[in-house]
Amino acid sequence: MKIIVNLDVVLAQRKMSMTELASEVGVTMANLSVLKNNKAKAIRFSTLEKICEVLDCQPGDILEYRAGD
């Protein structure tokens, strides 16, 4: 089982860059890259909430569960 982060898909749909998102959310590009590249071990709910607010999306638009991967 694996949690997949589809942040790049949502960013493309919103025509927003990682730099813009990092600035608006208030996180570093490095931390956002770790999340986007599925290397993160955890995410704070406050960060997830802010990402969803900025991208006008739901957590399920960004996070996906895949069994058996």
Side-chain angles (χ1 to χ4, degrees):
M1 76 182 142
K2 190 172 184 182
I3 301 293
I4 305 298
V5 180
N6 293 313
L7 188 56
D8 52 346
V9 173
V10 179
L11 281 169
Q13 291 171 340
R14 304 298 191 274
K15 296 182 172 77
M16 180 180 277
S17 71
M18 288 276 291
T19 305
E20 290 175 286
L21 182 62
S23 175
E24 290 197 40
V25 171
V27 297
T28 65
M29 276 291 296
N31 285 340
L32 206 52
S33 289
V34 167
L35 180 62
K36 183 178 96 54
N37 294 317
N38 291 301
K39 303 289 184 195
K41 299 293 181 195
I43 182 171
R44 293 177 189 235
F45 278 164
S46 59
T47 303
L48 181 59
E49 181 180 356
K50 187 66 177 173
I51 290 171
C52 288
E53 179 184 318
V54 169
L55 294 176
D56 189 29
C57 67
Q58 294 295 312
D61 297 332
I62 297 171
L63 303 175
E64 175 186 348
Y65 169 76
R66 288 190 192 162
D69 278 355

Short mmCIF file of all heavy atoms in Angstrom, two decimals:
data_model
loop_
_atom_site.label_atom_id
_atom_site.label_comp_id
_atom_site.label_asym_id
_atom_site.label_seq_id
_atom_site.Cartn_x
_atom_site.Cartn_y
_atom_site.Cartn_z
N MET A 1 0.84 -1.18 0.00
CA MET A 1 0.00 0.00 0.00
C MET A 1 0.88 1.24 0.00
O MET A 1 1.99 1.23 0.50
CB MET A 1 -0.93 -0.01 1.19
CG MET A 1 -0.28 0.33 2.52
SD MET A 1 -1.46 0.22 3.84
CE MET A 1 -0.40 -0.45 5.07
N LYS A 2 0.35 2.30 -0.59
CA LYS A 2 1.14 3.49 -0.76
C LYS A 2 0.23 4.70 -0.90
O LYS A 2 -0.82 4.62 -1.53
CB LYS A 2 2.01 3.34 -2.00
CG LYS A 2 3.06 4.37 -2.16
CD LYS A 2 3.96 3.99 -3.33
CE LYS A 2 5.08 4.98 -3.43
NZ LYS A 2 5.96 4.72 -4.56
N ILE A 3 0.64 5.80 -0.30
CA ILE A 3 -0.05 7.06 -0.49
C ILE A 3 0.69 7.82 -1.59
O ILE A 3 1.90 8.04 -1.50
CB ILE A 3 -0.07 7.91 0.81
CG1 ILE A 3 -0.76 7.16 1.94
CG2 ILE A 3 -0.72 9.26 0.55
CD1 ILE A 3 -2.24 6.92 1.75
N ILE A 4 -0.02 8.19 -2.63
CA ILE A 4 0.54 8.91 -3.76
C ILE A 4 0.12 10.37 -3.65
O ILE A 4 -1.05 10.67 -3.39
CB ILE A 4 0.03 8.33 -5.10
CG1 ILE A 4 0.31 6.84 -5.18
CG2 ILE A 4 0.61 9.10 -6.28
CD1 ILE A 4 1.77 6.47 -5.14
N VAL A 5 1.06 11.28 -3.87
CA VAL A 5 0.78 12.71 -3.84
C VAL A 5 0.66 13.19 -5.28
O VAL A 5 1.60 13.10 -6.05
CB VAL A 5 1.89 13.48 -3.10
CG1 VAL A 5 1.58 14.97 -3.08
CG2 VAL A 5 2.05 12.96 -1.67
N ASN A 6 -0.52 13.68 -5.63
CA ASN A 6 -0.80 14.16 -6.98
C ASN A 6 -0.73 15.68 -7.06
O ASN A 6 -1.50 16.31 -7.79
CB ASN A 6 -2.18 13.67 -7.43
CG ASN A 6 -2.23 12.18 -7.60
OD1 ASN A 6 -1.35 11.58 -8.20
ND2 ASN A 6 -3.25 11.55 -7.04
N LEU A 7 0.20 16.26 -6.34
CA LEU A 7 0.30 17.71 -6.29
C LEU A 7 0.63 18.30 -7.66
O LEU A 7 0.07 19.33 -8.04
CB LEU A 7 1.37 18.12 -5.27
CG LEU A 7 1.49 19.61 -4.95
CD1 LEU A 7 0.16 20.18 -4.47
CD2 LEU A 7 2.56 19.84 -3.91
N ASP A 8 1.48 17.63 -8.43
CA ASP A 8 1.83 18.14 -9.75
C ASP A 8 0.63 18.19 -10.69
O ASP A 8 0.49 19.12 -11.48
CB ASP A 8 2.97 17.33 -10.36
CG ASP A 8 2.72 15.84 -10.38
OD1 ASP A 8 1.79 15.37 -9.69
OD2 ASP A 8 3.46 15.13 -11.08
N VAL A 9 -0.27 17.23 -10.55
CA VAL A 9 -1.49 17.20 -11.38
C VAL A 9 -2.38 18.39 -11.05
O VAL A 9 -2.84 19.11 -11.94
CB VAL A 9 -2.26 15.88 -11.18
CG1 VAL A 9 -3.59 15.91 -11.91
CG2 VAL A 9 -1.42 14.70 -11.63
N VAL A 10 -2.60 18.62 -9.76
CA VAL A 10 -3.46 19.73 -9.33
C VAL A 10 -2.82 21.07 -9.70
O VAL A 10 -3.51 21.98 -10.15
CB VAL A 10 -3.78 19.64 -7.82
CG1 VAL A 10 -4.64 20.80 -7.38
CG2 VAL A 10 -4.46 18.32 -7.50
N LEU A 11 -1.51 21.18 -9.54
CA LEU A 11 -0.82 22.42 -9.93
C LEU A 11 -1.00 22.68 -11.42
O LEU A 11 -1.25 23.81 -11.83
CB LEU A 11 0.67 22.33 -9.59
CG LEU A 11 1.04 22.58 -8.13
CD1 LEU A 11 2.49 22.21 -7.90
CD2 LEU A 11 0.78 24.01 -7.73
N ALA A 12 -0.87 21.67 -12.25
CA ALA A 12 -1.03 21.82 -13.70
C ALA A 12 -2.46 22.25 -14.03
O ALA A 12 -2.66 23.13 -14.88
CB ALA A 12 -0.68 20.53 -14.42
N GLN A 13 -3.43 21.65 -13.36
CA GLN A 13 -4.83 22.01 -13.60
C GLN A 13 -5.10 23.47 -13.24
O GLN A 13 -5.90 24.13 -13.89
CB GLN A 13 -5.76 21.12 -12.78
CG GLN A 13 -5.80 19.69 -13.24
CD GLN A 13 -6.55 18.78 -12.28
OE1 GLN A 13 -6.75 19.11 -11.11
NE2 GLN A 13 -6.95 17.62 -12.79
N ARG A 14 -4.41 23.96 -12.21
CA ARG A 14 -4.61 25.34 -11.75
C ARG A 14 -3.65 26.32 -12.44
O ARG A 14 -3.69 27.50 -12.17
CB ARG A 14 -4.40 25.45 -10.23
CG ARG A 14 -5.25 24.53 -9.37
CD ARG A 14 -6.73 24.80 -9.53
NE ARG A 14 -7.54 24.11 -8.55
CZ ARG A 14 -7.99 22.86 -8.66
NH1 ARG A 14 -7.70 22.13 -9.71
NH2 ARG A 14 -8.74 22.33 -7.72
N LYS A 15 -2.77 25.78 -13.29
CA LYS A 15 -1.76 26.58 -13.98
C LYS A 15 -0.95 27.42 -12.99
O LYS A 15 -0.74 28.62 -13.16
CB LYS A 15 -2.41 27.47 -15.04
CG LYS A 15 -3.05 26.68 -16.16
CD LYS A 15 -3.64 27.57 -17.22
CE LYS A 15 -4.10 26.80 -18.42
NZ LYS A 15 -5.35 26.10 -18.28
N MET A 16 -0.49 26.74 -11.94
CA MET A 16 0.29 27.39 -10.89
C MET A 16 1.64 26.69 -10.78
O MET A 16 1.73 25.49 -10.93
CB MET A 16 -0.46 27.32 -9.55
CG MET A 16 0.27 27.97 -8.40
SD MET A 16 -0.65 27.88 -6.85
CE MET A 16 -1.75 29.25 -7.04
N SER A 17 2.66 27.47 -10.50
CA SER A 17 4.00 26.90 -10.35
C SER A 17 4.25 26.49 -8.90
O SER A 17 3.56 26.96 -7.98
CB SER A 17 5.06 27.91 -10.78
OG SER A 17 5.15 28.96 -9.83
N MET A 18 5.25 25.65 -8.73
CA MET A 18 5.66 25.25 -7.37
C MET A 18 6.11 26.48 -6.58
O MET A 18 5.85 26.57 -5.39
CB MET A 18 6.80 24.23 -7.46
CG MET A 18 6.39 22.88 -7.95
SD MET A 18 5.74 21.86 -6.63
CE MET A 18 7.21 21.57 -5.69
N THR A 19 6.81 27.39 -7.25
CA THR A 19 7.29 28.60 -6.59
C THR A 19 6.14 29.43 -6.06
O THR A 19 6.18 29.90 -4.91
CB THR A 19 8.15 29.44 -7.57
OG1 THR A 19 9.19 28.62 -8.09
CG2 THR A 19 8.74 30.64 -6.88
N GLU A 20 5.10 29.61 -6.87
CA GLU A 20 3.92 30.36 -6.45
C GLU A 20 3.25 29.69 -5.25
O GLU A 20 2.89 30.35 -4.28
CB GLU A 20 2.90 30.48 -7.58
CG GLU A 20 3.31 31.37 -8.72
CD GLU A 20 2.30 31.31 -9.85
OE1 GLU A 20 2.27 30.27 -10.57
OE2 GLU A 20 1.53 32.27 -9.99
N LEU A 21 3.08 28.38 -5.34
CA LEU A 21 2.42 27.64 -4.26
C LEU A 21 3.23 27.73 -2.97
O LEU A 21 2.67 28.01 -1.91
CB LEU A 21 2.21 26.18 -4.64
CG LEU A 21 1.49 25.32 -3.61
CD1 LEU A 21 0.08 25.85 -3.33
CD2 LEU A 21 1.45 23.86 -4.04
N ALA A 22 4.53 27.53 -3.06
CA ALA A 22 5.39 27.61 -1.87
C ALA A 22 5.27 28.97 -1.21
O ALA A 22 5.15 29.07 0.02
CB ALA A 22 6.84 27.33 -2.25
N SER A 23 5.26 30.01 -2.01
CA SER A 23 5.15 31.37 -1.49
C SER A 23 3.81 31.60 -0.80
O SER A 23 3.74 32.15 0.30
CB SER A 23 5.34 32.37 -2.63
OG SER A 23 5.13 33.68 -2.18
N GLU A 24 2.73 31.17 -1.43
CA GLU A 24 1.38 31.40 -0.88
C GLU A 24 1.10 30.53 0.34
O GLU A 24 0.37 30.95 1.23
CB GLU A 24 0.32 31.18 -1.96
CG GLU A 24 0.35 32.27 -3.02
CD GLU A 24 -0.91 32.31 -3.85
OE1 GLU A 24 -2.00 32.13 -3.28
OE2 GLU A 24 -0.78 32.51 -5.07
N VAL A 25 1.66 29.34 0.37
CA VAL A 25 1.44 28.43 1.50
C VAL A 25 2.36 28.78 2.67
O VAL A 25 2.00 28.57 3.82
CB VAL A 25 1.62 26.95 1.06
CG1 VAL A 25 1.60 26.01 2.25
CG2 VAL A 25 0.53 26.57 0.07
N GLY A 26 3.53 29.32 2.34
CA GLY A 26 4.49 29.66 3.39
C GLY A 26 5.40 28.52 3.77
O GLY A 26 5.79 28.38 4.92
N VAL A 27 5.74 27.68 2.80
CA VAL A 27 6.69 26.58 3.01
C VAL A 27 7.84 26.76 2.03
O VAL A 27 7.71 27.47 1.03
CB VAL A 27 6.04 25.18 2.82
CG1 VAL A 27 4.96 24.95 3.84
CG2 VAL A 27 5.49 25.01 1.43
N THR A 28 8.94 26.09 2.30
CA THR A 28 10.08 26.19 1.40
C THR A 28 9.85 25.34 0.16
O THR A 28 9.08 24.37 0.18
CB THR A 28 11.37 25.71 2.08
OG1 THR A 28 11.26 24.32 2.36
CG2 THR A 28 11.65 26.49 3.36
N MET A 29 10.54 25.72 -0.91
CA MET A 29 10.48 24.92 -2.14
C MET A 29 10.98 23.51 -1.87
O MET A 29 10.45 22.54 -2.42
CB MET A 29 11.33 25.56 -3.23
CG MET A 29 10.62 26.66 -3.99
SD MET A 29 9.31 26.00 -5.03
CE MET A 29 10.24 25.01 -6.17
N ALA A 30 12.00 23.38 -1.03
CA ALA A 30 12.55 22.05 -0.71
C ALA A 30 11.49 21.17 -0.07
O ALA A 30 11.33 20.01 -0.45
CB ALA A 30 13.76 22.19 0.20
N ASN A 31 10.76 21.70 0.90
CA ASN A 31 9.72 20.91 1.57
C ASN A 31 8.59 20.55 0.61
O ASN A 31 8.06 19.44 0.65
CB ASN A 31 9.17 21.65 2.78
CG ASN A 31 10.12 21.62 3.95
OD1 ASN A 31 11.00 20.77 4.02
ND2 ASN A 31 9.95 22.55 4.86
N LEU A 32 8.23 21.48 -0.25
CA LEU A 32 7.17 21.22 -1.22
C LEU A 32 7.63 20.16 -2.24
O LEU A 32 6.85 19.29 -2.62
CB LEU A 32 6.80 22.51 -1.94
CG LEU A 32 5.39 22.62 -2.49
CD1 LEU A 32 4.34 22.29 -1.46
CD2 LEU A 32 5.16 24.00 -3.07
N SER A 33 8.89 20.20 -2.63
CA SER A 33 9.43 19.21 -3.56
C SER A 33 9.44 17.82 -2.95
O SER A 33 9.14 16.84 -3.63
CB SER A 33 10.85 19.60 -3.97
OG SER A 33 10.82 20.73 -4.81
N VAL A 34 9.78 17.72 -1.68
CA VAL A 34 9.76 16.43 -0.98
C VAL A 34 8.35 15.85 -1.03
O VAL A 34 8.15 14.67 -1.30
CB VAL A 34 10.26 16.58 0.47
CG1 VAL A 34 9.95 15.35 1.30
CG2 VAL A 34 11.75 16.86 0.49
N LEU A 35 7.35 16.70 -0.80
CA LEU A 35 5.95 16.26 -0.84
C LEU A 35 5.56 15.85 -2.25
O LEU A 35 5.03 14.77 -2.48
CB LEU A 35 5.05 17.38 -0.32
CG LEU A 35 3.56 17.08 -0.28
CD1 LEU A 35 3.26 15.93 0.66
CD2 LEU A 35 2.80 18.33 0.14
N LYS A 36 5.85 16.69 -3.22
CA LYS A 36 5.47 16.44 -4.61
C LYS A 36 6.10 15.17 -5.16
O LYS A 36 5.48 14.45 -5.94
CB LYS A 36 5.87 17.63 -5.48
CG LYS A 36 5.46 17.50 -6.94
CD LYS A 36 5.82 18.70 -7.74
CE LYS A 36 7.08 18.65 -8.49
NZ LYS A 36 7.39 17.63 -9.40
N ASN A 37 7.32 14.87 -4.74
CA ASN A 37 8.03 13.70 -5.25
C ASN A 37 7.80 12.44 -4.43
O ASN A 37 8.55 11.47 -4.56
CB ASN A 37 9.52 14.01 -5.35
CG ASN A 37 9.80 15.08 -6.38
OD1 ASN A 37 9.24 15.05 -7.46
ND2 ASN A 37 10.66 16.03 -6.06
N ASN A 38 6.77 12.44 -3.61
CA ASN A 38 6.38 11.28 -2.80
C ASN A 38 7.48 10.81 -1.86
O ASN A 38 7.61 9.62 -1.60
CB ASN A 38 5.93 10.12 -3.70
CG ASN A 38 4.62 10.41 -4.39
OD1 ASN A 38 3.61 10.66 -3.74
ND2 ASN A 38 4.64 10.42 -5.70
N LYS A 39 8.29 11.72 -1.36
CA LYS A 39 9.37 11.38 -0.43
C LYS A 39 9.00 11.74 1.01
O LYS A 39 9.72 11.38 1.92
CB LYS A 39 10.66 12.11 -0.81
CG LYS A 39 11.15 11.85 -2.21
CD LYS A 39 11.67 10.46 -2.37
CE LYS A 39 12.25 10.29 -3.78
NZ LYS A 39 12.44 8.92 -4.12
N ALA A 40 7.89 12.44 1.21
CA ALA A 40 7.50 12.88 2.55
C ALA A 40 6.99 11.70 3.38
O ALA A 40 6.31 10.82 2.87
CB ALA A 40 6.41 13.95 2.45
N LYS A 41 7.35 11.70 4.64
CA LYS A 41 6.88 10.68 5.57
C LYS A 41 5.63 11.15 6.31
O LYS A 41 4.89 10.34 6.86
CB LYS A 41 7.97 10.34 6.59
CG LYS A 41 9.23 9.80 5.97
CD LYS A 41 8.99 8.45 5.35
CE LYS A 41 10.28 7.91 4.76
NZ LYS A 41 10.07 6.80 3.87
N ALA A 42 5.42 12.47 6.33
CA ALA A 42 4.28 13.04 7.03
C ALA A 42 4.00 14.44 6.48
O ALA A 42 4.84 15.04 5.82
CB ALA A 42 4.57 13.14 8.52
N ILE A 43 2.79 14.92 6.73
CA ILE A 43 2.43 16.29 6.39
C ILE A 43 1.55 16.83 7.52
O ILE A 43 0.68 16.10 8.02
CB ILE A 43 1.72 16.41 5.02
CG1 ILE A 43 1.42 17.87 4.69
CG2 ILE A 43 0.48 15.55 4.97
CD1 ILE A 43 0.92 18.09 3.28
N ARG A 44 1.80 18.04 7.92
CA ARG A 44 0.97 18.66 8.95
C ARG A 44 -0.39 18.99 8.37
O ARG A 44 -0.49 19.42 7.21
CB ARG A 44 1.62 19.94 9.46
CG ARG A 44 2.88 19.74 10.21
CD ARG A 44 3.47 21.08 10.58
NE ARG A 44 4.79 20.88 11.12
CZ ARG A 44 5.17 21.32 12.31
NH1 ARG A 44 4.35 22.03 13.05
NH2 ARG A 44 6.39 21.08 12.74
N PHE A 45 -1.41 18.79 9.16
CA PHE A 45 -2.75 19.13 8.70
C PHE A 45 -2.85 20.61 8.36
O PHE A 45 -3.54 20.99 7.41
CB PHE A 45 -3.81 18.77 9.75
CG PHE A 45 -4.21 17.33 9.74
CD1 PHE A 45 -4.88 16.79 10.82
CD2 PHE A 45 -3.95 16.50 8.67
CE1 PHE A 45 -5.27 15.46 10.83
CE2 PHE A 45 -4.33 15.17 8.66
CZ PHE A 45 -5.00 14.65 9.75
N SER A 46 -2.15 21.45 9.10
CA SER A 46 -2.19 22.89 8.82
C SER A 46 -1.60 23.20 7.44
O SER A 46 -2.11 24.06 6.71
CB SER A 46 -1.47 23.69 9.90
OG SER A 46 -0.12 23.29 10.00
N THR A 47 -0.55 22.48 7.07
CA THR A 47 0.05 22.66 5.74
C THR A 47 -0.89 22.14 4.66
O THR A 47 -1.11 22.80 3.64
CB THR A 47 1.41 21.94 5.65
OG1 THR A 47 2.26 22.44 6.68
CG2 THR A 47 2.06 22.14 4.29
N LEU A 48 -1.46 20.96 4.88
CA LEU A 48 -2.41 20.40 3.92
C LEU A 48 -3.62 21.32 3.76
O LEU A 48 -4.09 21.55 2.64
CB LEU A 48 -2.85 19.00 4.38
CG LEU A 48 -3.82 18.26 3.47
CD1 LEU A 48 -3.24 18.06 2.07
CD2 LEU A 48 -4.19 16.91 4.09
N GLU A 49 -4.09 21.86 4.86
CA GLU A 49 -5.23 22.79 4.82
C GLU A 49 -4.90 24.02 3.98
O GLU A 49 -5.71 24.44 3.15
CB GLU A 49 -5.60 23.20 6.23
CG GLU A 49 -6.78 24.14 6.32
CD GLU A 49 -7.12 24.53 7.75
OE1 GLU A 49 -6.50 24.03 8.70
OE2 GLU A 49 -8.01 25.37 7.90
N LYS A 50 -3.72 24.58 4.17
CA LYS A 50 -3.33 25.78 3.43
C LYS A 50 -3.15 25.47 1.95
O LYS A 50 -3.55 26.26 1.09
CB LYS A 50 -2.04 26.36 4.03
CG LYS A 50 -1.64 27.68 3.45
CD LYS A 50 -2.64 28.76 3.79
CE LYS A 50 -2.15 30.10 3.25
NZ LYS A 50 -3.13 31.15 3.40
N ILE A 51 -2.56 24.31 1.62
CA ILE A 51 -2.42 23.90 0.22
C ILE A 51 -3.79 23.79 -0.43
O ILE A 51 -4.01 24.29 -1.54
CB ILE A 51 -1.64 22.57 0.10
CG1 ILE A 51 -0.17 22.78 0.46
CG2 ILE A 51 -1.77 21.98 -1.30
CD1 ILE A 51 0.64 21.49 0.59
N CYS A 52 -4.73 23.16 0.26
CA CYS A 52 -6.09 23.01 -0.27
C CYS A 52 -6.78 24.36 -0.43
O CYS A 52 -7.50 24.58 -1.41
CB CYS A 52 -6.91 22.09 0.63
SG CYS A 52 -6.42 20.37 0.52
N GLU A 53 -6.53 25.25 0.50
CA GLU A 53 -7.12 26.60 0.42
C GLU A 53 -6.58 27.34 -0.80
O GLU A 53 -7.35 27.89 -1.58
CB GLU A 53 -6.77 27.37 1.69
CG GLU A 53 -7.31 28.80 1.72
CD GLU A 53 -6.85 29.52 2.97
OE1 GLU A 53 -6.85 28.93 4.06
OE2 GLU A 53 -6.47 30.71 2.84
N VAL A 54 -5.27 27.31 -0.98
CA VAL A 54 -4.65 28.03 -2.10
C VAL A 54 -5.05 27.42 -3.44
O VAL A 54 -5.33 28.14 -4.40
CB VAL A 54 -3.10 28.04 -1.94
CG1 VAL A 54 -2.42 28.54 -3.20
CG2 VAL A 54 -2.70 28.88 -0.73
N LEU A 55 -5.09 26.09 -3.51
CA LEU A 55 -5.43 25.41 -4.77
C LEU A 55 -6.93 25.21 -4.96
O LEU A 55 -7.35 24.70 -6.00
CB LEU A 55 -4.72 24.06 -4.83
CG LEU A 55 -3.19 24.12 -4.92
CD1 LEU A 55 -2.61 22.71 -4.89
CD2 LEU A 55 -2.74 24.86 -6.16
N ASP A 56 -7.73 25.60 -3.97
CA ASP A 56 -9.18 25.44 -4.02
C ASP A 56 -9.54 23.99 -4.37
O ASP A 56 -10.18 23.71 -5.38
CB ASP A 56 -9.80 26.41 -5.03
CG ASP A 56 -11.32 26.42 -4.96
OD1 ASP A 56 -11.88 26.14 -3.87
OD2 ASP A 56 -11.96 26.68 -5.99
N CYS A 57 -9.06 23.08 -3.52
CA CYS A 57 -9.29 21.66 -3.76
C CYS A 57 -9.53 20.94 -2.43
O CYS A 57 -9.45 21.55 -1.37
CB CYS A 57 -8.10 21.03 -4.49
SG CYS A 57 -6.58 20.97 -3.52
N GLN A 58 -9.81 19.66 -2.51
CA GLN A 58 -10.00 18.81 -1.35
C GLN A 58 -8.73 17.98 -1.13
O GLN A 58 -7.99 17.72 -2.09
CB GLN A 58 -11.18 17.86 -1.57
CG GLN A 58 -12.52 18.56 -1.67
CD GLN A 58 -12.89 19.23 -0.37
OE1 GLN A 58 -12.80 18.63 0.70
NE2 GLN A 58 -13.31 20.48 -0.46
N PRO A 59 -8.47 17.52 0.11
CA PRO A 59 -7.30 16.68 0.35
C PRO A 59 -7.25 15.46 -0.57
O PRO A 59 -6.18 15.04 -1.02
CB PRO A 59 -7.44 16.27 1.82
CG PRO A 59 -8.21 17.39 2.44
CD PRO A 59 -9.16 17.84 1.37
N GLY A 60 -8.40 14.90 -0.90
CA GLY A 60 -8.47 13.75 -1.78
C GLY A 60 -8.06 14.05 -3.21
O GLY A 60 -7.76 13.14 -3.99
N ASP A 61 -8.04 15.33 -3.59
CA ASP A 61 -7.55 15.71 -4.91
C ASP A 61 -6.03 15.60 -4.97
O ASP A 61 -5.46 15.41 -6.04
CB ASP A 61 -7.96 17.14 -5.26
CG ASP A 61 -9.47 17.32 -5.36
OD1 ASP A 61 -10.17 16.34 -5.70
OD2 ASP A 61 -9.94 18.43 -5.09
N ILE A 62 -5.39 15.73 -3.81
CA ILE A 62 -3.93 15.73 -3.72
C ILE A 62 -3.39 14.36 -3.30
O ILE A 62 -2.38 13.90 -3.82
CB ILE A 62 -3.46 16.80 -2.71
CG1 ILE A 62 -3.87 18.18 -3.21
CG2 ILE A 62 -1.97 16.73 -2.49
CD1 ILE A 62 -3.65 19.27 -2.20
N LEU A 63 -4.08 13.71 -2.38
CA LEU A 63 -3.62 12.43 -1.83
C LEU A 63 -4.45 11.27 -2.36
O LEU A 63 -5.67 11.34 -2.40
CB LEU A 63 -3.69 12.46 -0.30
CG LEU A 63 -2.93 13.58 0.39
CD1 LEU A 63 -3.20 13.55 1.88
CD2 LEU A 63 -1.45 13.48 0.11
N GLU A 64 -3.77 10.20 -2.73
CA GLU A 64 -4.44 9.01 -3.27
C GLU A 64 -3.84 7.77 -2.63
O GLU A 64 -2.63 7.65 -2.49
CB GLU A 64 -4.20 8.98 -4.78
CG GLU A 64 -4.73 7.75 -5.47
CD GLU A 64 -4.33 7.71 -6.95
OE1 GLU A 64 -3.85 8.72 -7.48
OE2 GLU A 64 -4.49 6.63 -7.53
N TYR A 65 -4.69 6.84 -2.22
CA TYR A 65 -4.24 5.57 -1.64
C TYR A 65 -4.25 4.51 -2.73
O TYR A 65 -5.25 4.35 -3.44
CB TYR A 65 -5.18 5.16 -0.50
CG TYR A 65 -4.94 3.75 -0.03
CD1 TYR A 65 -3.85 3.45 0.78
CD2 TYR A 65 -5.77 2.72 -0.41
CE1 TYR A 65 -3.61 2.15 1.19
CE2 TYR A 65 -5.56 1.41 0.02
CZ TYR A 65 -4.46 1.14 0.82
OH TYR A 65 -4.23 -0.13 1.24
N ARG A 66 -3.13 3.79 -2.84
CA ARG A 66 -3.05 2.68 -3.80
C ARG A 66 -2.64 1.41 -3.05
O ARG A 66 -1.57 1.36 -2.45
CB ARG A 66 -2.01 2.96 -4.89
CG ARG A 66 -2.44 4.01 -5.86
CD ARG A 66 -1.51 4.07 -7.03
NE ARG A 66 -1.78 5.26 -7.82
CZ ARG A 66 -0.94 5.77 -8.68
NH1 ARG A 66 0.23 5.19 -8.91
NH2 ARG A 66 -1.26 6.85 -9.37
N ALA A 67 -3.48 0.42 -3.11
CA ALA A 67 -3.17 -0.86 -2.47
C ALA A 67 -2.25 -1.67 -3.36
O ALA A 67 -2.34 -1.62 -4.57
CB ALA A 67 -4.46 -1.63 -2.22
N GLY A 68 -1.35 -2.41 -2.72
CA GLY A 68 -0.52 -3.34 -3.45
C GLY A 68 0.68 -2.77 -4.18
O GLY A 68 1.39 -3.49 -4.84
N ASP A 69 0.92 -1.48 -4.09
CA ASP A 69 2.10 -0.90 -4.76
C ASP A 69 3.32 -1.02 -3.90
O ASP A 69 3.33 -0.99 -2.75
CB ASP A 69 1.86 0.58 -5.09
CG ASP A 69 1.06 0.76 -6.38
OD1 ASP A 69 0.79 -0.24 -7.02
OD2 ASP A 69 0.74 1.90 -6.71
#
